[in-house]
């Protein structure tokens, strides 16, 4: 929905109703014939070396690869009849996939609501126009920090100002189109309230939503990574400055959505970087069968409904990283 105010569109997040259901607190999986939302990882490769990320630091153990066209087509075939919204996200930069724009087009041809998380590095004028032409519903640009210094620390040498320019170009090319809904997300470690406000003031004119969370470095060890020595030292230093807190909540991931890796394996956790919580594989069975019959999925639902987070390797380091969240 697009409302108009003083000749400028005020856009509504096309995923708003989905997120309201996900956050409603009503966690009864039997009420859903299929997931309410699906995350697709078309690749777990990335062109950045971010300090907080298992992909960027090469700390993960699972193979790096790209989803086949056949796998993707099979996913669309399974979710299209249920009109399940999908997000291109997880542990890689989706625009690196050579078929990325075709994947978006195919999703939209099946009337699926579609969102993309991106670091923005490959979104030049031509590629932005391709996303506008296929009528992508929503895009989120992922920052870290609040300025050139704090961004380049976490993104290890990448340019904050370059990404700002990309956001401004996307906003300009979108003009008065109703979509994509344009979001900006960043996380912080030691940044002050004044730095955060300055970040918001700078980018608010070019976004429909800005979210600020806290960077979680607890789950990654410098020695796990393949970073050079100076980057490992920086990571260790930043870990001493983070201010996240444990805040275990009833997890809606296990009741309302699933995440599909590039190779067809299915995990129940959005933060599963190394196949700790696999509940099935689309090379062997259907998404619906996994949703209803996976013994592992039922196990995780049971464990998390009883708040046994500490007994699961990923869940015990799952924090309230969005404590600073404020919607514009």
């Amino acid at each position: 929905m697009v409302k108009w105010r003083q000749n400028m569109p005020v856009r509504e997040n096309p995923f708003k109703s989905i997120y309201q259901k996900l956050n409603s607190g009503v966690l009864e999986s039997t009420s859903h014939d299929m997931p309410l939302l699906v995350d697709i990882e078309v690749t777990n490769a990335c062109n950045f070396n971010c300090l907080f990320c298992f992909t960027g630091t090469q700390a993960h153990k699972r193979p790096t690869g790209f989803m086949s066209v056949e796998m993707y087509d099979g996913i669309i075939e399974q979710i299209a009849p249920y009109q399940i919204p999908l997000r291109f996200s997880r542990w890689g930069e989706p625009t690196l996939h050579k078929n990325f724009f075709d994947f978006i087009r195919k999703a939209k041809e099946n009337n699926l609501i579609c969102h993309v998380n991106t670091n923005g590095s490959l979104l030049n004028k031509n590629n932005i126009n391709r996303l506008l032409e296929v009528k992508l519903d929503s895009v989120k640009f992922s920052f870290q920090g609040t300025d050139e210094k704090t961004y380049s620390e976490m993104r290890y040498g990448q340019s904050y100002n370059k990404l700002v320019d990309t956001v401004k170009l996307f906003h300009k090319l979108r003009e008065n189109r109703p979509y994509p809904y344009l979001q900006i997300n960043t996380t912080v470690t030691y940044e002050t309230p004044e730095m955060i406000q300055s970040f918001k003031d700078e980018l608010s004119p070019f976004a429909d939503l800005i979210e600020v969370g806290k960077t979680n470095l607890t789950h990654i060890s410098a020695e796990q990574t393949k970073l050079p020595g100076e980057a490992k030292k920086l990571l260790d230093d930043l870990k001493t400055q983070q201010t996240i807190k444990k805040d275990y909540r009833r997890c809606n991931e296990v009741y309302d959505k699933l995440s599909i890796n590039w190779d067809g394996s299915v995990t129940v956790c959005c933060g599963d970087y190394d196949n700790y919580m696999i509940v099935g594989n689309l090379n062997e069975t259907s998404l619906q069968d996994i949703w209803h019959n996976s013994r592992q999925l039922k196990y995780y639902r049971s464990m998390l409904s009883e708040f046994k987070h500490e007994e699961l390797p990923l869940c015990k380091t799952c924090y309230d990283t969005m404590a600073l969240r404020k919607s514009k």
Side-chain angles (χ1 to χ4, degrees):
M1 178 183 296
V2 181
K3 301 176 182 178
W4 293 81
R5 185 179 60 207
Q6 297 180 346
N7 298 320
M8 293 296 290
V10 179
R11 295 169 177 84
E12 243 184 40
N13 190 338
F15 281 77
K16 181 179 179 180
S17 63
I18 301 299
Y19 293 151
Q20 286 176 339
K21 290 180 181 178
L22 291 173
N23 296 319
S24 66
V26 180
L27 304 174
E28 296 181 8
S29 59
T30 54
S31 65
H32 312 320
D33 193 41
M34 286 281 273
L36 297 178
L37 181 65
V38 167
D39 285 348
I40 293 182
E41 174 192 84
V42 294
T43 181
N44 63 336
C46 190
N47 55 337
F48 279 18
N49 298 110
C50 305
L51 298 188
F52 56 87
C53 178
F54 283 90
T55 298
T57 59
Q58 300 181 55
H60 62 83
K61 298 176 183 178
R62 67 183 172 112
T64 299
F66 294 81
M67 183 174 285
S68 70
V69 173
E70 293 75 18
M71 175 60 69
Y72 181 80
D73 287 350
I75 294 169
I76 296 299
E77 184 177 335
Q78 291 186 60
I79 68 175
Y82 298 91
Q83 289 294 283
I84 301 173
L86 60 88
R87 303 188 303 183
F88 290 78
S89 59
R90 299 210 15 88
W91 292 96
E93 172 51 44
T95 60
L96 287 174
H97 199 295
K98 65 180 181 179
N99 299 110
F100 170 72
F101 295 97
D102 289 334
F103 286 171
I104 298 291
R105 176 185 52 78
K106 185 161 292 185
K108 294 310 302 173
E109 286 175 350
N110 283 272
N111 299 314
L112 299 176
I113 300 175
C114 199
H115 167 85
V116 174
N117 280 3
T118 179
N119 61 32
S121 60
L122 300 183
L123 291 184
N124 54 29
K125 182 177 180 180
N126 179 61
N127 286 339
I128 292 172
N129 279 325
R130 293 174 74 180
L131 290 178
L132 296 175
E133 287 166 5
V134 298
K135 299 181 180 179
L136 175 68
D137 297 280
S138 174
V139 61
K140 178 183 289 185
F141 289 93
S142 296
F143 283 74
Q144 242 70 39
T146 57
D147 55 22
E148 186 70 35
K149 176 183 180 294
T150 53
Y151 178 91
S152 62
E153 283 178 346
M154 282 295 177
R155 296 285 185 182
Y156 195 55
Q158 297 298 328
S159 172
Y160 171 88
N161 292 324
K162 182 180 178 180
L163 181 53
V164 169
D165 287 343
T166 299
V167 170
K168 290 180 179 179
L169 177 61
F170 199 113
H171 180 266
K172 179 181 178 180
L173 294 173
R174 183 184 67 170
E175 297 180 318
N176 291 328
R177 291 178 175 87
Y179 296 116
Y181 187 76
L182 201 164
Q183 304 172 63
I184 289 172
N185 174 273
T186 194
T187 64
V188 296
T189 48
Y190 59 81
E191 289 82 347
T192 65
E194 291 76 18
M195 293 170 71
I196 293 171
Q197 188 58 52
S198 177
F199 172 81
K200 290 181 177 180
D201 291 343
E202 177 183 12
L203 290 170
S204 288
F206 309 103
D208 302 309
L209 176 68
I210 294 180
E211 292 184 311
V212 180
K214 294 189 177 182
T215 308
N216 183 4
L217 298 173
T218 303
H219 60 305
I220 190 166
S221 164
E223 294 308 311
Q224 289 178 274
T225 74
K226 295 183 181 180
L227 294 168
E230 61 179 15
K232 288 183 177 180
K233 183 179 185 305
L234 177 59
L235 175 58
D236 283 336
D237 288 344
L238 290 170
K239 287 179 73 170
T240 66
Q241 301 179 64
Q242 67 179 7
T243 56
I244 58 172
K245 62 178 181 179
K246 279 190 178 182
D247 185 22
Y248 294 152
R249 301 179 181 180
R250 192 177 291 271
C251 179
N252 57 23
E253 290 276 321
V254 295
Y255 288 97
D256 294 325
K257 64 184 289 287
L258 288 175
S259 299
I260 305 172
N261 293 331
W262 68 266
D263 60 356
S265 57
V266 179
T267 177
V268 73
C269 177
C270 63
D272 189 357
Y273 58 91
D274 247 348
N275 293 348
Y276 285 100
M277 300 181 75
I278 296 298
V279 294
N281 195 304
L282 295 182
N283 292 292
E284 301 167 358
T285 188
S286 69
L287 194 66
Q288 188 175 48
D289 185 56
I290 293 171
W291 186 246
H292 289 286
N293 300 317
S294 167
R295 293 178 62 184
Q296 280 300 109
L297 181 52
K298 292 177 181 178
Y299 167 73
Y300 292 130
R301 285 171 177 161
S302 174
M303 291 289 286
L304 292 176
S305 69
E306 298 175 13
F307 288 86
K308 295 182 179 179
H309 297 66
E310 292 286 350
E311 298 180 33
L312 300 171
L314 292 181
C315 303
K316 68 181 180 182
T317 57
C318 185
Y319 291 81
D320 175 16
T321 60
M322 297 305 294
L324 298 182
R325 176 177 297 186
K326 289 185 179 180
S327 300
K328 182 175 75 70

